[in-house]
Amino acid sequence: MISARTAPALLLFAPLAFFAAFFLVPMAVVAISSITTDGGALTALHYTRILLDQYHWDVLWVTFRIALVTTAICMLIGFPLAWYLVRIVRWRAWRRVCVILIIVPLFTSNIVRSFGWMVLLGRTGLVNQGLMGIGLTDRPMRFLGTETGILIGLVYILVPFVVLAVGNALATIDRGYEDASADLGVGPARTFWFVTLPLCLPGAVSGAIMVFALAVSAYVTPALLSGGQITVFSMLIFQQYSSVFDFHYGAALSVTLLVLTLVLVGIAGRIGESGRRAA
Amino acid sequence: MARHLISLVALAALAYLVLPLAVIIGASLTQTSYLVFPPEGLTLKWFGVLFNDPSYVSAFVTSTLLALAATAVAIVLAVPASLALARYAFPGRKSVSALLASPLVLPYVVLGAALLQYGSAIGIARSFEALLVGHVIIVMPFVLRSVLPLLNPEQRTLEEASLDLGAGPATTFFLVVLPQIRGGIISGGLLAFISSWINVELSIFNTTATLNTIPVKMFNYVQYTVDPTIAAVSAITIVAAALVIIILDLLIGLDMLSEGRRS
């Protein structure tokens, strides 16, 4: 008979060995090469190079600005859509269709989805045709190679995460609180503001931070929709590994992105957990 | 009033989600040699061009083999891991569970770069093996998350009964545990397969001109030219994703946003 002590060790041996060999060790290799020279001596040079170069601050600023605006627009679009699905739609079959429509883009490659926007946002694309058709502009507007183009593509890719996070939070709210508030004579707007919103805030905030982290580390969408005009942080990493071949410097950039992402996800996890405990 | 406004925004958002996918499928049917939407005339010839191009066929085969192999390895690793996490209390249980789930939130560009650098060190860089190990790491959390909730306490009683009645651990696993978690393995496996099949950021570091996956090939192609063949490849992946999601819906029910469901 296998004891309760050895059983987990036996069951976890293969998965943990695999994760150690192909996940932890590669990450450690990156971390080590970010603080060493070719000869193996310790150095902080790669990080000071990131910190002292104005260009990196510009790229970081662009990356964060795009991620921030993306997150804000995702919330503005995702919240009403989640509300609509959970609170307004009464016909189950239609809700099911909507959920499928929200999930299908999630399971389509970033490249395919960004390609769709390349077609739509081109000079003679449907978006420009539409804008000119309703008289908003008389010349085709330039979207590809601009931040607006990247924003449209990133919001498109990340909105489903907000809908699912907020939708889940809304669906699990006990309607009793809202009914109690209404019974006490509080109007619907105030009930929403003081009862419903605080109850789904943890879900919404952790969804927002998730979107922000994914937007900061996005590569494919900005690469395709920037048309080489705008550089974001993940492109710097890719350049170092694919064309410059400076693995030490690339490693320092990778560690920077990784730490930023993990901090954000950690915060999101905390907020999500405290929300679950409060509910 | 507010209700109508929300419905309007929601329907516009749904249209926004559907539009690019519809445009790609539409544009793949055009008779013109350039991309145009709405399509001019209807034809399936671009799909024919695709299947007659050996580089697409080989990328298609690589992507599919890679996704199948990654999913299979991920299942073999994730099932024992979820049994250990669900059935035993041991020191470091929380850290193990966090470690195994962490690829879900990791920037894939960073993992791809790490595997290229590490792969060069151990001599597997830019090979199918290098792609495979990376894909196993990123898809395993999907299987884990689908299987874990099925290993609930009621299920545990059945396993204990089986062991008390003299069945060995192996017999108990195949006759009692496996039938219970089969649904989780299938749905987690489907999610794992799709996630592997559509990946660009991780694969791009370890692919070459001859060893290429469909998404990476498309990514490299689209940066220089866009034509109806790219729309045709894209259309195939969209239709495949939609089919898998519908199967998942029928299998486990994706009616996740209904009210009154307590998590």
Side-chain angles (χ1 to χ4, degrees), chain A residues 10-268:
Chain A
L10 283 174
L11 290 168
L12 282 171
F13 178 76
L16 284 184
F18 193 92
F19 259 65
F22 301 114
F23 181 56
L24 294 179
V25 174
M27 287 304 191
V29 169
V30 169
I32 291 168
S33 79
S34 78
I35 51 164
T36 52
T37 61
D38 271 332
L42 276 181
T43 175
L45 198 75
H46 312 301
Y47 288 99
T48 51
R49 196 174 149 198
I50 298 176
L51 291 174
L52 294 179
D53 188 345
Q54 182 60 38
Y55 175 65
H56 290 108
W57 289 102
D58 293 344
V59 171
L60 264 182
W61 168 234
V62 170
T63 310
F64 272 79
R65 188 175 56 211
I66 291 177
L68 212 61
V69 179
T70 300
T71 312
I73 302 176
C74 279
M75 295 308 282
L76 286 178
I77 298 178
F79 210 100
L81 183 50
W83 186 276
Y84 170 78
L85 290 176
V86 176
R87 291 288 173 92
I88 296 182
V89 175
R90 285 283 150 259
W91 190 27
R92 272 187 111 85
W94 171 239
R95 184 185 304 122
R96 227 167 145 156
V97 171
C98 292
V99 170
I100 291 177
L101 290 180
I102 289 164
I103 295 177
V104 167
L106 269 183
F107 285 99
T108 309
S109 184
N110 285 352
I111 158 88
V112 171
R113 292 183 282 172
S114 306
F115 169 63
W117 283 107
M118 286 172 77
V119 177
L120 276 163
L121 294 175
R123 284 183 65 82
T124 55
L126 210 58
V127 171
N128 265 321
Q129 281 177 26
L131 287 177
M132 289 195 285
I134 55 173
L136 272 175
T137 172
D138 45 308
R139 283 182 303 132
M141 284 175 61
R142 196 166 149 254
F143 290 107
L144 299 175
T146 67
E147 275 186 43
T148 313
I150 299 182
L151 278 175
I152 294 175
L154 274 181
V155 167
Y156 177 73
I157 282 174
L158 298 173
V159 134
F161 290 100
V162 174
V163 179
L164 294 178
V166 174
N168 266 316
L170 274 176
T172 46
I173 287 178
D174 189 340
R175 282 296 271 273
Y177 294 115
E178 288 161 302
D179 294 343
S181 166
D183 287 346
L184 293 168
V186 180
R190 283 171 63 86
T191 299
F192 172 77
W193 197 250
F194 291 107
V195 179
T196 317
L197 195 60
L199 283 173
C200 59
L201 210 54
V205 172
S206 70
I209 296 180
M210 200 68 202
V211 165
F212 187 78
L214 288 169
V216 167
S217 63
Y219 173 68
V220 170
T221 311
L224 288 182
L225 296 177
S226 72
Q229 309 283 318
I230 296 166
T231 307
V232 297
F233 205 74
S234 55
M235 291 182 201
L236 290 182
I237 298 179
F238 188 68
Q239 277 163 16
Q240 292 304 318
Y241 280 94
S242 67
S243 45
V244 185
F245 296 110
D246 186 344
F247 282 14
H248 295 290
Y249 183 51
L253 290 167
S254 299
V255 171
T256 310
L257 180 61
L258 184 65
V259 169
L260 280 173
T261 311
L262 289 184
V263 167
L264 287 169
V265 171
I267 296 172

Side-chain angles (χ1 to χ4, degrees), chain B residues 146-181:
Chain B
S146 309
V147 172
L148 264 179
L150 299 178
L151 291 164
N152 49 31
E154 296 114 69
Q155 173 60 21
R156 180 177 204 151
T157 322
L158 287 176
E159 288 158 34
E160 278 161 3
S162 161
L163 289 170
D164 285 347
L165 292 170
T171 318
T172 303
F173 176 78
F174 284 107
L175 294 183
V176 182
V177 181
L178 199 56
Q180 277 301 310
I181 60 172

